[in-house]
Amino acid sequence: MSQKWVYLFDEVDEAQAYKNGDWNAVRALLGGKGANLGDMTRIGVPVPPGFTCSTEACNAYLAAGERFPEGMWEQELAALGAVEEKTGKKFGDPTNPLLVSCRSGAMFSMPGMMDTVLNIGLNPDTVQGMIELTGDARFVYDSYRRLVQMFGSVVMNVDDAPFEEVLEKYRQNRGVSSDADLTAEDWKAIGEEFEVLFKESTGLNFPIDPYHQLKLATEAVFKSWNGKRAFDYRNAAGIAHDLGTGVNIQTMVFGNMGEGSGTGVAMTRNATTGEDHIEGDYLLNAQGEDVVAGIRVTERVSKMAEDMPAAWEQFVDIAEKLEKHYREMQDVEFTIERNKLWMLQTRDGKRTAQAAVRIAVDQTDEGLISKEEAVMRVTPEQVDFFLHPQFDTAAKKAAAEQGRLLATGLNVSPGAAVGVVAFDADLAEAWAKEGKKVIMVRPETKPDDVHGMLAAEGILTTRGGRTSHAALVARQFGTPAVVGVAALNIDMAGRQMSVKDAVIQEGDWISIDGTIGDVYLGQVETVVPDISDPWLMKLLSWADEYRRLDVWANADYPEDAERAREYGARGIGLTRTEHMFFEQERLPYVQQMILTDSDEVRKESIDALLPYQRGDFAGLFRAMDGLPVIIRLIDPPLHEFLPARDDLVDEIAEAKIALATGAGDAAALEATIAEKDAILSQVEAIHEMNPMLGTRGVRLGIMMPDLTKMQVRAIFEAACEVAKEGVDVHPEVMIPLTSHVNELKVQQAALKAEAIEVMKEQGIEVKYKFGTMIEIPRAALTADEIAEYAEFFSFGTNDLTQTTYGISRDDAEKGFLIDYIQKGILPENPFESIDAVGLTKLMGIAVELGRQTRPDLEVGICGEHGGDPKSIAICHKLNLDYVSCSPFRVPIARLAAAQAALNDK
């Protein structure tokens, strides 16, 4: 038997994947749209008859140099015959013509990224037959011009703008603003002009053979899988490029047949907030593209209850049925043809981060899904959105009082965005690559704009509704967006827009609030968000029930620690003491400590730093009462605390020139030269060819023991002080950059002695640990020896990645690394996600060896990887105890750790 390429909607159960009970495989075979059309047909939802050409057919077509695989076209014709039997109509028959649509449908939803052609089968003969059948010449001529326009732009790559110019000309001649007000004569004339445009652009007459129309449309949809906009979208959404798209051929039903007809797109719940009510856009006497293209001002879908109450009641029942069937919020398309409701599509709805969290929690509380499913449905990226900046309330109020509130539109994708105006996608992308923050402003967005939308900080349109292309893409990628701002007038030729008395040029700053829908002139200040959303808190509490990995935070100051604890951190995994040294009142002591040749002066400088460090640590211990706090001793090389050598050379040269030319006080200049020369001499004395592999970390502690002793004294004086206050304190001292066990043996012995001495002086004991960072391959390979002394390991994965790969991160990310990733030499940036092969193997060796020596060894990770979901999954598999990350990544890490545990289960 030849391969089955084509499936009628009522043949879904014939697919082997369906028989195997694997619905994901059915979606992979037929695409999400085709699978769901078949499924809706199966459960009795009113779906116009049709069939799907499989994704396998698409891949075979593309692999064969854009030729249909053997037998596919014959199967498509046979399926068309079956549809003719079901509808009682015949394709190409002038007396009772069957018209069909041709739509894409990949496994994963890609709204607007591939092609659609409607009204296939219309030609001069069938147009006359349709007029006689319907008695509505206006509807038929409108349908025919749509076919010519869509066929031209989609199948033959004709620029859409000339078609739109013809439409605008007829609207102006009639003095109307809506296509719905044009007459049958208008549409007939427009269709004829469209045919002329088609021939001028392609050199061909518009094809009148319905079968030729269908064949070319099918090919166009297959080809659109490899179109730029689809390719860019898949890259951004992480969708594989080898899945292919299905082609869905479906009987046309018409929402533009006058009274009792309409069309719409809706979500079974609010896609912006997650509230449990149907939300969407709807138009009377229109076809589907009128709703999503943003060309006409839509009504809220709930108005259908007034216009067509019986159809609305049926629609509400079907929406509820579909949501319960798929156990997920649905995005549906529908058409009402002369009071008969038809469902054209259902798919899991795109939604904002806030809506995703609320819907998952609400559906769990409703008993529709389990807590585990709720935790798995929300992505770490969606949790991250709750931590994005929002506009400061006072700043918004001030902007409004200053007259900078320009307009308000539909709040379709929340969040604050500030950027310069770019009026087209190419410019938005180019400016973003230059590092500019951009707001892309368009009358309405189209699929070809997706690359600019992905690059922009925010999206603003003058047309479109809650289910418009701009709204769908913005929600998909968490980009703040405001649409349908009718008060804005865009002059594309002049590269400017105006509202009220304000004129905004391309490149001017604006601010948009996708949460409210407001648009401001200029830059509005943003603030750190409040994540006390009750649905998010509930979801994260469920995540905590399932995760095995603990989540700690990297924090250098008490306010960071307090925020981390508020966000759910159960400890501090990294306090970088050197950050404290850069503060203005401390840096002079640090520099004096480095520059002096006198041991006595060095000791005085170190002693002067002690009270500062003690105060820092006491604040951290109070903030983390009852939880562990890991404090890393000084790590970077000393040159980082001194002026740069090149800067000193320049400053000395400038002072000498000034002295030679008499430009300035001679005595002051001589003193400056002498001071800078002394500093330069010391900078050159401690200069290292590769300081990141030089005297730093444990090596610096051994070479300058008074410095790390001071730090340990400060830690334990602070711990004893707050313990006397009743604080439950758990200090853990981390020695960085160990490569040989003897380094740790020597340094730890001296520091432990200091800690014991402090506790004796204070007359109180506190529980403590000493441990080390594993950031050198040799340390990982000799972890059994190191664990004889270290009570905990913390992987410093940034340095461990550098030393394992033998590359400098700063140099690599500005140089070859990006090329490596683009060329596929490396699958991804190893500084963004832990290398799943080499580094993971090295970490696994360290964990295994370390726990052979010390079974209760505490092991964690404290680099930036600690907040990366992919890396967290690796840490779970390696059986680490915790991950530590930025306070703002803590909620993300909590969810990612739970998902790692559930996936493992």
Side-chain angles (χ1 to χ4, degrees):
M1 178 183 289
S2 62
Q3 181 166 349
K4 188 171 178 63
W5 302 108
V6 178
Y7 293 79
L8 289 163
F9 292 162
D10 57 7
E11 290 182 336
V12 171
D13 55 1
E14 293 184 18
Q16 188 59 47
Y18 183 88
K19 295 174 183 176
N20 296 340
D22 187 346
W23 187 246
N24 278 334
V26 175
R27 288 170 53 83
L29 174 68
L30 301 178
K33 185 178 293 183
N36 288 347
L37 285 168
D39 201 34
M40 285 196 292
T41 301
R42 188 179 62 82
I43 64 174
V45 172
V47 173
F51 56 88
T52 301
C53 302
S54 72
T55 60
E56 292 177 347
C58 173
N59 285 330
Y61 171 85
L62 296 173
E66 299 184 350
R67 296 177 59 188
F68 285 148
E70 184 179 353
M72 194 211 89
W73 179 242
E74 291 74 17
Q75 291 181 29
E76 186 167 347
L77 294 177
L80 187 64
V83 172
E84 289 175 330
E85 289 185 22
K86 287 179 169 63
T87 60
K89 301 176 180 179
K90 189 161 181 59
F91 196 56
D93 180 2
T95 59
N96 188 22
L98 170 67
L99 304 183
V100 297
S101 62
C102 180
R103 289 185 170 95
S104 63
M107 180 180 183
F108 300 106
S109 175
M110 297 168 55
M113 294 303 108
M114 290 178 292
D115 288 333
T116 294
V117 182
L118 304 180
N119 306 329
I120 295 169
L122 279 177
N123 60 23
D125 292 337
T126 53
V127 162
Q128 293 307 313
M130 287 285 291
I131 291 173
E132 291 176 17
L133 276 173
T134 64
D136 189 345
R138 183 199 173 282
F139 147 69
V140 178
Y141 286 128
D142 178 18
S143 299
Y144 180 65
R145 71 87 191 172
R146 290 173 189 265
L147 170 62
V148 178
Q149 182 176 0
M150 295 184 82
F151 200 92
S153 60
V154 169
V155 179
M156 306 303 291
N157 296 312
V158 176
D159 184 7
D160 199 46
F163 293 114
E164 292 297 332
E165 289 169 5
V166 171
L167 289 173
E168 181 59 30
K169 178 182 71 175
Y170 275 83
R171 284 192 292 262
Q172 289 181 358
N173 290 343
R174 283 284 178 188
V176 299
S177 59
S178 171
D179 290 348
D181 296 321
L182 296 177
T183 66
E185 291 74 22
D186 293 328
W187 286 125
K188 182 179 181 182
I190 289 168
E192 290 168 353
E193 288 201 37
F194 279 10
E195 288 176 333
V196 172
L197 278 174
F198 185 96
K199 184 165 186 178
E200 288 176 349
S201 300
T202 66
L204 303 170
N205 290 320
F206 180 74
I208 60 173
D209 178 1
Y211 292 94
H212 191 47
Q213 294 174 4
L214 179 61
K215 190 172 188 178
L216 291 177
T218 303
E219 290 193 75
V221 174
F222 279 162
K223 291 175 186 176
S224 70
W225 174 255
N226 282 336
K228 183 182 185 302
R229 67 194 188 210
F231 194 84
D232 288 345
Y233 186 97
R234 291 197 298 272
N235 278 338
I239 298 171
H241 293 298
D242 60 357
L243 298 177
T245 181
V247 174
N248 300 288
I249 309 299
Q250 190 172 22
T251 303
M252 283 296 304
V253 288
F254 297 95
N256 58 336
M257 292 188 73
E259 188 176 344
S261 296
T263 190
V265 179
M267 308 284 183
T268 56
R269 301 192 187 215
N270 188 304
T272 302
T273 66
E275 293 171 278
D276 187 11
H277 61 76
I278 294 174
E279 181 78 17
D281 300 316
Y282 148 84
L283 281 171
L284 282 169
N285 195 24
Q287 281 196 269
E289 72 268 22
D290 296 333
V291 175
V292 298
I295 296 168
R296 289 176 56 181
V297 178
T298 57
E299 301 282 0
R300 283 188 174 270
V301 71
S302 55
K303 190 175 183 299
M304 200 167 101
E306 302 172 23
D307 298 333
M308 289 181 277
W312 170 253
E313 186 175 340
Q314 184 187 7
F315 176 70
V316 170
D317 289 344
I318 289 173
E320 183 178 347
K321 180 178 184 177
L322 290 174
E323 185 169 294
K324 286 182 177 176
H325 177 70
Y326 291 107
R327 302 167 64 250
E328 180 59 287
M329 185 264 274
Q330 293 296 291
D331 169 0
V332 298
E333 295 179 17
F334 64 92
T335 287
I336 303 153
E337 181 182 278
R338 293 180 170 174
N339 297 308
K340 167 68 175 172
L341 175 66
W342 294 97
M343 302 303 294
L344 306 181
Q345 174 171 286
T346 191
R347 59 189 176 192
D348 293 348
K350 306 295 182 190
R351 66 208 74 182
T352 65
Q354 290 92 325
V357 170
R358 178 167 179 171
I359 290 168
V361 171
D362 284 352
Q363 288 189 330
T364 303
D365 291 342
E366 293 162 14
L368 200 59
I369 62 174
S370 66
K371 287 196 293 186
E372 292 98 324
E373 287 175 294
V375 168
M376 293 302 293
R377 277 192 182 176
V378 175
T379 67
E381 291 76 16
Q382 287 169 327
V383 172
D384 183 32
F385 186 81
F386 282 85
L387 306 167
H388 285 193
Q390 304 293 327
F391 285 132
D392 177 69
T393 304
K396 282 177 59 176
K397 183 179 179 183
E401 290 171 351
Q402 294 161 8
R404 289 165 52 205
L405 176 58
L406 296 174
T408 298
L410 297 176
N411 53 330
V412 296
S413 188
V418 181
V420 295
V421 172
F423 287 118
D424 66 69
D426 292 340
L427 183 62
E429 183 181 51
W431 277 358
K433 285 180 178 176
E434 294 174 9
K436 293 182 180 179
K437 295 185 179 297
V438 179
I439 307 292
M440 195 174 88
V441 181
R442 300 283 292 159
E444 70 273 337
T445 65
K446 297 182 179 180
D448 289 338
D449 293 324
V450 70
H451 58 292
M453 300 171 77
L454 295 172
E457 300 288 320
I459 299 164
L460 174 64
T461 70
T462 60
R463 299 197 285 261
R466 295 184 183 277
T467 56
S468 64
H469 176 262
L472 290 173
V473 174
R475 282 197 290 266
Q476 165 79 359
F477 294 104
T479 304
V482 179
V483 305
V485 188
L488 283 176
N489 296 302
I490 298 177
D491 176 4
M492 290 298 294
R495 310 301 284 186
Q496 64 182 27
M497 63 181 180
S498 59
V499 56
K500 303 175 184 173
D501 296 326
V503 177
I504 299 97
Q505 305 288 338
E506 190 162 56
D508 288 349
W509 286 88
I510 62 169
S511 304
I512 65 171
D513 187 342
T515 306
I516 305 297
D518 290 340
V519 182
Y520 296 89
L521 181 64
Q523 302 177 63
V524 177
E525 183 182 351
T526 59
V527 293
V528 174
D530 173 12
I531 66 160
S532 58
D533 178 271
W535 288 275
L536 178 62
M537 293 298 100
K538 196 170 192 177
L539 183 82
L540 291 176
S541 72
W542 293 344
D544 292 339
E545 294 175 18
Y546 300 117
R547 63 182 170 85
R548 183 193 57 74
L549 271 174
D550 218 345
V551 177
W552 297 4
N554 303 337
D556 301 335
Y557 301 100
E559 55 266 32
D560 296 332
E562 288 165 4
R563 178 177 288 119
R565 191 161 193 168
E566 177 191 344
Y567 289 177
R570 300 297 300 158
I572 298 299
L574 176 63
T575 294
R576 291 159 286 224
T577 54
E578 63 272 6
H579 284 191
M580 303 163 178
F581 288 166
F582 283 105
E583 294 188 14
Q584 189 173 1
E585 72 277 12
R586 310 178 190 194
L587 190 57
Y589 294 116
V590 177
Q591 291 179 339
Q592 185 180 22
M593 173 191 75
I594 298 168
L595 295 171
T596 185
D597 292 325
S598 165
D599 292 341
E600 184 179 345
V601 173
R602 181 173 291 112
K603 181 76 165 60
E604 289 174 359
S605 302
I606 290 173
D607 288 345
L609 290 168
L610 174 62
Y612 292 116
Q613 291 259 275
R614 182 173 59 232
D616 295 330
F617 301 144
L620 286 169
F621 292 145
R622 291 188 185 102
M624 300 306 289
D625 185 3
L627 298 175
V629 177
I630 295 180
I631 298 171
R632 183 180 72 185
L633 303 180
I634 188 166
D635 183 41
L638 293 178
H639 80 273
E640 290 196 7
F641 300 99
L642 298 177
R645 180 187 179 280
D646 290 347
D647 291 343
L648 287 168
V649 170
D650 289 345
E651 290 165 8
I652 291 169
E654 288 171 6
K656 286 182 176 178
I657 291 169
L659 183 62
T661 58
D665 181 83
L669 287 169
E670 286 174 351
T672 297
I673 292 168
E675 178 190 351
K676 301 285 185 185
D677 265 332
I679 297 173
L680 178 60
S681 296
Q682 191 62 26
V683 167
E684 289 179 335
I686 65 172
H687 172 71
E688 295 176 305
M689 294 300 294
N690 192 341
M692 297 313 293
L693 295 178
T695 308
R696 53 170 288 221
V698 66
R699 302 160 192 169
L700 181 60
I702 291 171
M703 300 302 292
M704 198 178 284
D706 287 346
L707 176 57
T708 47
K709 280 185 180 179
M710 177 276 291
Q711 290 192 301
V712 169
R713 172 166 286 275
I715 291 168
F716 281 88
E717 285 183 358
C720 293
E721 176 188 328
V722 299
K724 290 174 182 177
E725 298 170 4
V727 174
D728 184 12
V729 61
H730 297 272
E732 300 188 17
V733 181
M734 183 156 69
I735 299 169
L737 209 74
T738 297
S739 60
H740 194 289
V741 65
N742 287 343
E743 292 177 306
L744 189 63
K745 181 180 178 181
V746 169
Q747 176 80 148
Q748 188 167 301
L751 299 180
K752 264 195 174 182
E754 189 74 14
I756 292 168
E757 184 178 334
V758 171
M759 288 187 286
K760 283 182 180 177
E761 292 170 2
Q762 298 293 323
I764 188 171
E765 288 194 4
V766 296
K767 291 182 178 180
Y768 66 91
K769 289 180 181 178
F770 274 83
T772 191
M773 289 185 82
I774 304 294
E775 46 195 335
I776 302 291
R778 191 183 189 284
L781 296 172
T782 59
D784 49 344
E785 296 179 2
I786 291 174
E788 292 177 13
Y789 298 92
E791 296 168 281
F792 68 89
F793 287 170
S794 179
F795 288 104
T797 51
N798 182 53
D799 277 357
L800 188 57
T801 298
Q802 292 191 98
T803 53
T804 299
Y805 273 88
I807 59 177
S808 159
R809 177 177 185 174
D810 292 340
D811 294 329
E813 289 190 327
K814 289 185 292 186
F816 70 88
L817 189 56
I818 304 305
D819 280 346
Y820 267 36
I821 294 165
Q822 290 175 346
K823 293 174 180 176
I825 297 171
L826 289 178
E828 58 188 340
N829 187 338
F831 296 105
E832 292 181 359
S833 294
I834 288 175
D835 166 23
V837 181
L839 201 76
T840 299
K841 188 179 292 184
L842 198 57
M843 292 170 67
I845 290 169
V847 173
E848 183 180 353
L849 291 177
R851 286 182 175 155
Q852 282 178 10
T853 300
R854 191 183 293 271
D856 62 346
L857 182 72
E858 172 189 288
V859 185
I861 173 180
C862 64
E864 292 174 32
H865 290 122
D868 169 61
K870 290 182 183 177
S871 302
I872 290 168
I874 288 172
C875 293
H876 172 85
K877 289 180 180 177
L878 290 173
N879 205 28
L880 269 58
D881 295 299
Y882 68 88
V883 295
S884 187
C885 56
S886 155
F888 291 105
R889 301 291 293 179
V890 166
I892 299 160
R894 289 166 66 189
L895 180 67
Q899 292 181 343
L902 289 170
N903 280 327
D904 194 33
K905 183 173 139 185

